Amino acid sequence: MSGHMNEETPLLNRRLTSSESQIKNSKLFLAVFSAVLGNFSFGYSLVFSSPVLPQLKSPDADPRLRMDTEKAAWFGSIYSLGAAAGGLGAMLLNDMVGRKLSIMMSAVPSTIGYMLMGGAVDLWMLLVGRFLTGVAGGMTAASIPVYISEISHKGVRGALGSCPQVTAVFGTLALYALSLVVPWRWLAIAGEVPALLMVVLLVFMPSSPRRLLSLGREQQAERALRWLRGSHYDTQIELSAIQHSINTQSRVTWSQLATPVYYRPIIISVVMRFLQQMTGVTPILVYMEPIFAKSKVSLAPKYDAAIVGAVRLFSVAVAASLMDKAGRKALLYTSSMLMFLSTLTLTMISHTTPCPPGPSPPNLTMSLNYSPHNDIGNSLEASSAGLIPLISTMVFIFGYAMGWGPITWLLMSEVLPLVARGVASGLCVTVSWLTAFMLTHAFTHLVDNYGLYVPYLCFTVVCVVCLLFNAVCIPETRGRSLEEIENYFRTGRTFTIRRSQSTAQSR
């Protein structure tokens, strides 16, 4: 029997290789593009408060909409509370109506939210609108990575898995660029466009073949997979692997959650999303222009924000190109170190430099009177020192976008148990955004009471924890199928699925 199996294995491998060589990715890329328009809207709405808050806090703002510190804290943070609610909703919708419909339904709160903010005549309209766009962001954050992982083959899953982060960064950069020339109400109106376009395109895209098979719709699953892979692709091998995965699983029970195959990947995913937020990326993005204003950067804050957005886009593109080459863990190590060095620098700058800067020491002021050259040198030194917060923030965003940004989304969709993926991904997103809400709301008050030093110090410590967590807990999933990754958690330390075990189980 074992000799017979050994003869079959090379034949099966040849069939798999031959089938994979016939894959056409053009329609798969179109389906992914249609879905990640939701992430474009998510990135746009996340940082909406960055250019809007300075205008609403200024004396020239409409008295009905003018904000103080507490109101600004709510406007910045309530998005994260809405995203947590959206994540909870996605926990139910992912398995009730499917991934594709969940993504499409997110356009409803997104459009209503932007309409409220664009036509706001009272503060409650801004807050409710911001909350609703957060709900949409939470829904897409929980559904899109799962949809992409289930329609992609392992040859491109790493690169396509980083697409949600890439398009979210595009959305952020689009907002920063538009805010340079467009009033804030028109920013809200423009935010409705990507969500509506997403709905129109997704109507023509297939549902996840894995979900269709789980519902017993074999013919629809075959048509969906053939559409995604190309007309010459042998769908039966991949469909059989998916069907076998579904057949060997049942609905998870509370007692099963106590076994490593379930609790280990869920805990890893939840902690990853918690640490991702605790690095401080959300408050830095949400309050970027006010932060630069407090840091006394030599450039205007709105231009600083646009520069950081461009750097973020470049770094995510680098991460996407390296995802399936360098591996997940190597990028996470690099990401953690860059974020640690940048937050440590920002901590030291904000601690040693008063904000706003205090008066010059008397002896230095006296020495300036002796020579005009000293005044010029001091001005150049102040100008170069004023760029350090901008450069450090760029390094932080570069590091985050290379690793802890896109890879946590990708790993979440890869390591979560197949049978509980929809619900577990919703749980991860909910934990992530509740953390972001608390951190973003507290950030404004911490800065007002203690300056930027205290939050930056906390972010520095978290980056060290991220480094250790990656070293001890996160597995390398590069080049592994979803079934091999699940086998890793089932067996403890191996990705290899023994063919004899698989055959015995199928019988």
Side-chain angles (χ1 to χ4, degrees):
M1 179 67 180
S2 60
H4 180 61
M5 288 301 302
N6 290 335
E7 292 173 4
E8 284 185 350
T9 302
L11 177 62
L12 180 60
N13 289 337
R14 283 197 299 273
R15 287 180 65 197
L16 282 167
T17 304
S18 173
S19 178
E20 288 173 359
S21 67
Q22 311 243 338
I23 291 177
K24 304 295 183 185
N25 287 323
S26 56
K27 290 185 177 178
L28 170 62
F29 294 161
L30 177 60
V32 171
F33 171 76
S34 303
V36 297
L37 282 172
N39 287 102
F40 183 95
S41 182
F42 160 68
Y44 187 98
S45 58
L46 172 64
V47 299
F48 183 79
S49 60
S50 177
V52 173
L53 272 177
Q55 298 180 51
L56 295 180
K57 293 181 74 174
S58 71
D60 300 331
D62 185 335
R64 297 171 297 177
L65 304 177
R66 191 178 297 132
M67 296 185 180
D68 56 16
T69 299
E70 179 62 21
K71 291 174 182 176
W74 273 105
F75 185 69
S77 63
I78 200 170
Y79 178 90
S80 301
L81 197 60
L88 284 172
M91 288 175 63
L92 303 174
L93 291 174
N94 271 343
D95 291 327
M96 284 177 59
V97 302
R99 284 61 157 145
K100 188 181 97 166
L101 275 178
S102 295
I103 299 168
M104 294 173 70
M105 290 173 66
S106 70
V108 177
S110 177
T111 304
I112 295 173
Y114 278 123
M115 288 174 63
L116 280 172
M117 288 192 289
V121 294
D122 204 356
L123 187 62
W124 71 266
M125 297 178 72
L126 288 174
L127 294 178
V128 172
R130 183 100 170 114
F131 177 82
L132 288 175
T133 56
V135 170
M139 292 173 68
T140 56
S143 304
I144 292 176
V146 179
Y147 177 72
I148 291 175
S149 72
E150 291 186 355
I151 65 174
S152 304
H153 57 88
K154 65 181 181 180
V156 295
R157 195 186 335 112
L160 294 182
S162 65
C163 283
Q165 184 71 14
V166 172
T167 46
V169 173
F170 263 112
T172 299
L173 185 57
L175 179 88
Y176 289 147
L178 281 175
S179 68
L180 299 177
V181 293
V182 174
W184 69 267
R185 289 188 186 273
W186 284 100
L187 287 178
I189 294 170
E192 299 175 21
V193 176
L196 295 176
L197 180 60
M198 174 193 72
V199 172
V200 172
L201 290 177
L202 279 178
V203 168
F204 303 100
M205 300 300 120
S207 296
S208 160
R210 183 179 298 275
R211 171 165 172 79
L212 292 172
L213 276 182
S214 69
L215 297 174
R217 301 173 183 173
E218 290 85 359
Q219 292 184 348
Q220 292 182 34
E222 197 276 337
R223 285 198 298 270
L225 194 61
R226 189 171 299 283
W227 190 92
L228 291 164
R229 303 286 187 265
S231 57
H232 299 292
Y233 178 74
D234 183 1
T235 59
Q236 291 308 310
I237 299 174
E238 187 171 350
L239 287 173
S240 298
I242 296 172
Q243 187 66 63
H244 173 72
S245 173
I246 294 170
N247 290 342
T248 55
Q249 294 168 353
S250 58
R251 186 170 292 275
V252 65
T253 62
W254 287 107
S255 60
Q256 288 175 311
L257 287 176
T259 59
V261 69
Y262 291 108
Y263 75 74
R264 284 185 61 208
I266 291 175
I267 289 175
I268 287 174
S269 299
V270 169
V271 174
M272 275 196 307
R273 299 309 300 274
F274 174 75
L275 290 176
Q276 179 198 48
Q277 291 295 345
M278 288 301 295
T279 60
V281 66
T282 299
I284 288 174
L285 291 174
V286 168
Y287 301 122
M288 187 169 289
E289 286 195 24
I291 287 173
F292 282 137
K294 276 189 171 292
S295 301
K296 300 299 179 184
V297 180
S298 50
L299 294 174
K302 62 180 181 180
Y303 296 113
D304 295 326
I307 291 171
V308 171
V311 169
R312 189 175 172 215
L313 178 61
F314 170 74
S315 54
V316 171
V318 171
S321 65
L322 295 176
M323 196 81 70
D324 287 318
K325 297 177 183 177
R328 281 60 155 160
K329 287 179 74 73
L331 288 176
L332 286 173
Y333 281 127
T334 305
S335 174
S336 301
M337 282 303 301
L338 288 174
M339 289 194 297
F340 167 73
L341 292 173
S342 58
T343 52
L344 181 62
T345 303
L346 288 166
T347 301
M348 292 189 294
I349 291 172
S350 58
H351 181 56
T352 57
T353 304
C355 184
S360 301
N363 60 341
L364 178 61
T365 306
M366 290 174 60
S367 67
L368 292 177
N369 295 329
Y370 292 107
S371 173
H373 297 290
N374 289 340
D375 188 40
I376 296 172
N378 188 59
S379 176
L380 289 173
E381 183 180 351
S383 177
S384 61
L387 289 176
I388 294 177
L390 172 61
I391 294 170
S392 298
T393 305
M394 289 165 61
V395 172
F396 174 84
I397 294 297
F398 182 84
Y400 172 82
M402 271 198 68
W404 281 90
I407 293 178
T408 50
W409 295 90
L410 174 61
L411 278 171
M412 182 186 79
S413 64
E414 287 184 327
V415 306
L416 287 176
L418 301 178
V419 69
R421 179 164 298 157
V423 173
S425 63
L427 173 65
C428 290
V429 171
T430 302
V431 169
S432 173
W433 287 113
L434 283 177
T435 306
F437 166 72
M438 292 184 288
L439 195 61
T440 308
H441 191 79
F443 184 85
T444 301
H445 295 289
L446 284 173
V447 171
D448 278 358
N449 292 329
Y450 306 104
L452 290 166
Y453 165 69
V454 171
Y456 279 146
L457 179 61
C458 295
F459 301 155
T460 305
V461 174
V462 171
C463 290
V464 176
V465 177
C466 288
L467 196 67
L468 297 175
F469 185 76
N470 180 41
V472 176
C473 301
I474 298 177
E476 178 57 74
T477 59
R478 179 184 56 166
R480 303 294 183 181
S481 69
L482 298 181
E483 288 72 29
E484 288 173 327
I485 294 168
E486 186 169 12
N487 192 69
Y488 170 86
F489 291 107
R490 179 182 291 109
T491 58
R493 287 293 170 183
T494 177
F495 289 100
T496 305
I497 302 176
R498 287 186 292 176
R499 185 65 58 185
S500 58
Q501 283 185 349
S502 177
T503 306
Q505 287 174 355
S506 65
R507 292 179 177 178

